[in-house]
Amino acid sequence: MKKILYVFILLFWGGRVSAQSPVFHCLLFLDTDDIRLSNSVRLTEARITDLAGKMAKNAEMKCKVTVVKGADLSVASAGKAIDLLQADEKDVIFFYFAGHGWNNLQSEYPMLKMGSGETTEENALGLEAIYRRLLEKKARMTLAFAEACNGTKNLKQKVIRDGEADHLIYNMNPNKVRELFRQSKVNLIMTSSRRGQASYSNNFGGHFTNAFCDAFERMTSREYLEAVSWEKVVAEITEETWTLSKGAQDVIAEIEYNESNNARVDKQGPCAMNLVAFHKISEDYQFLERYWQNLQRYDKDKAVEVYEAFFQAEVPEFYENLVAKLNLSNGLPDKDKQWFAETAGETVSFLKQINRYKNDGNYRDKAFAKMSIPVDNLKQMYEKLDDLRKRCKE
């Protein structure tokens, strides 16, 4: 029987930390078994565990670290670890994931693959879903981070076998750390790359993790003379990740100074539209319109290559389930749901036909002739959804 690996570290640093001191809950989910990621993830584990201890020590908090990793990492064990976490209103929750991820077009943030097995939604938890569950603990502060790809399922984390050490050693200033953790009330979600991007690492670990640790330690050091805030820390992590990845990674983050500290309230009805799916329709419309305009300028091989990059398994699955993907199954009249379902169905039917022409010598002519229908359909769907979105803002 598998057991979750729990590592409980209760640290009492000096006379200021007592049994009544708030707790710094560090929850780590780590895919250390995948041969492609194991070295990078183990480096992440060492750096983040070390940093968590420093954060807690300098904030005068007890540090409790829970690690779920390797063969023990699964949806069930991860869920159990979240359920078992009990936080007081003065505590801090610090969640960190390192492993495989992808975007299912339900959130700007990635799905996180929990351990071995197929890359499916049944074998994963969404970063935003984890964040929402942790918010329900009603701690003083909830921070959720992920170093994972955020593109399609077949987009793998990229390991560059070179690089120099990405971090230095700093002398941490307890006053600055206490200001961040004890004198502010923050909820923060952050991931290493935006939707559509991979996540990169080198011999010294993940670029996001190295940027995260370096930025935090440097900006809370005695040598750093400027005032520190979570906005500045997030901005510095974002810039350093972009620099280390040579422009290949754009960190996304959402930070809230939340005095009520309540979880978000979901919208109801048509105003509950999934804006990630809405933006996907807009992106596909713009891409296919440009592709249609430029199709005859490409040679045949280039035309096929560009289309194949667009038409992946996620595309037909998305449009075949469009109403559900938009989160509008209960938010639209039946006639509108039927129109979207039929229009999306026609769109994906034409896209599949175009894909079947890719081995045909007359691919460009045949694709050009078929492209007007999906382009027009996507434009109509976008305009109707945009009108609905605008009405919800009024």
Side-chain angles (χ1 to χ4, degrees), residues 55-287:
M55 289 172 168
K57 172 185 176 180
N58 287 277
E60 298 175 356
M61 303 176 74
K62 294 178 289 185
C63 186
K64 182 177 180 180
V65 182
T66 302
V67 183
V68 187
K69 66 179 183 178
D72 296 312
L73 181 60
S74 66
V75 170
S77 61
K80 184 176 181 180
I82 294 171
D83 292 340
L84 289 174
L85 192 154
Q86 296 183 351
D88 185 77
E89 61 183 6
K90 296 181 180 180
D91 292 351
V92 169
I93 298 174
F94 178 94
F95 170 78
Y96 206 98
F97 173 89
H100 285 298
W102 82 95
N103 193 283
N104 68 349
L105 299 175
Q106 297 298 293
S107 169
E108 292 293 344
Y109 297 93
M111 295 293 291
L112 308 177
K113 186 170 179 285
M114 295 294 150
S116 59
E118 297 296 321
T119 304
T120 64
E121 296 203 18
E122 292 74 24
N123 198 32
L125 295 173
L127 175 60
E128 190 166 15
I130 291 173
Y131 177 57
R132 286 176 179 268
R133 289 176 66 178
L134 293 174
L135 285 176
E136 294 174 358
K137 307 291 181 179
K138 299 189 183 299
R140 176 183 185 84
M141 183 180 299
T142 299
L143 311 171
F145 304 93
E147 180 157 53
C149 292
N150 197 11
T152 59
K153 290 180 181 179
N154 58 0
L155 185 64
K156 303 300 183 185
Q157 191 177 46
K158 306 297 178 65
V159 180
I160 309 301
R161 302 298 181 187
D162 61 9
E164 301 177 355
D166 297 314
H167 62 281
L168 301 173
I169 297 175
Y170 297 98
N171 186 18
M172 200 169 281
N173 184 341
N175 291 329
K176 290 186 176 181
V177 181
R178 284 195 295 271
E179 182 178 350
L180 289 175
F181 288 107
R182 302 290 294 274
Q183 297 173 22
S184 60
K185 208 170 188 180
V186 172
N187 293 325
L188 169 63
I189 180 172
M190 191 173 193
T191 194
S192 58
S193 52
R194 65 172 168 80
R195 180 163 54 89
Q197 291 182 335
S199 192
Y200 292 80
S201 63
N202 63 16
N203 293 337
F204 297 93
H207 293 326
F208 175 75
T209 294
N210 285 327
F212 178 88
C213 294
D214 180 74
F216 187 91
E217 293 190 47
R218 176 166 47 81
M219 297 180 76
T220 57
S221 70
R222 297 183 187 277
E223 296 80 9
Y224 190 81
L225 301 180
E226 299 178 27
V228 67
S229 68
W230 280 107
E231 286 98 336
K232 289 183 178 180
V233 172
V234 167
E236 192 68 15
I237 295 169
T238 300
E239 183 176 346
E240 287 196 26
T241 302
W242 189 88
T243 300
L244 290 173
S245 68
K246 299 179 180 179
Q249 285 178 244
D250 299 299
V251 169
I252 59 171
E254 183 177 351
I255 183 170
E256 302 172 330
Y257 282 82
N258 188 357
E259 292 304 318
S260 64
N261 215 30
N262 292 324
R264 304 170 183 178
V265 177
D266 290 332
K267 297 177 181 179
Q268 302 296 321
C271 297
M273 183 195 306
N274 172 16
L275 294 181
V276 177
F278 167 75
H279 292 312
K280 165 70 174 170
I281 294 171
S282 173
E283 292 163 6
D284 288 352
Y285 163 58
Q286 294 177 51
F287 169 82

Side-chain angles (χ1 to χ4, degrees), residues 278 382-392 394:
F278 167 75
Y382 169 77
E383 289 175 346
K384 285 180 179 289
L385 291 168
D386 190 44
D387 181 65
L388 177 61
R389 182 179 63 91
K390 289 174 180 177
R391 282 190 276 120
C392 285
E394 296 174 353

Side-chain angles (χ1 to χ4, degrees), residues 248-385:
Q249 285 178 244
D250 299 299
V251 169
I252 59 171
E254 183 177 351
I255 183 170
E256 302 172 330
Y257 282 82
N258 188 357
E259 292 304 318
S260 64
N261 215 30
N262 292 324
R264 304 170 183 178
V265 177
D266 290 332
K267 297 177 181 179
Q268 302 296 321
C271 297
M273 183 195 306
N274 172 16
L275 294 181
V276 177
F278 167 75
H279 292 312
K280 165 70 174 170
I281 294 171
S282 173
E283 292 163 6
D284 288 352
Y285 163 58
Q286 294 177 51
F287 169 82
L288 287 177
E289 186 177 46
R290 288 194 303 270
Y291 181 73
W292 189 30
Q293 293 170 351
N294 295 318
L295 184 55
Q296 298 292 358
R297 301 176 188 174
Y298 296 137
D299 61 43
K300 190 258 183 181
D301 290 341
K302 179 66 175 178
V304 170
E305 178 186 347
V306 173
Y307 189 76
E308 284 184 329
F310 161 76
F311 190 80
Q312 301 186 46
E314 288 83 357
V315 171
E317 193 271 337
F318 175 76
Y319 286 104
E320 287 165 357
N321 300 280
L322 182 64
V323 175
K325 294 288 188 181
L326 286 165
N327 197 33
L328 293 178
S329 297
N330 298 318
L332 289 176
D334 288 343
K335 65 176 184 178
D336 290 337
K337 286 191 287 187
Q338 182 178 354
W339 182 86
F340 275 106
E342 290 177 351
T343 305
E346 182 182 51
T347 300
V348 78
S349 176
F350 272 78
L351 293 177
K352 287 180 177 179
Q353 287 182 51
I354 294 170
N355 190 56
R356 288 196 290 269
Y357 295 149
K358 61 187 180 183
N359 294 320
D360 192 308
N362 294 321
Y363 169 80
R364 290 184 304 167
D365 292 338
K366 291 185 175 181
F368 186 85
K370 293 287 185 181
M371 191 62 71
S372 63
I373 298 298
V375 168
D376 186 59
N377 284 351
L378 288 170
K379 180 182 180 181
Q380 290 186 57
M381 288 191 289
Y382 169 77
E383 289 175 346
K384 285 180 179 289
L385 291 168

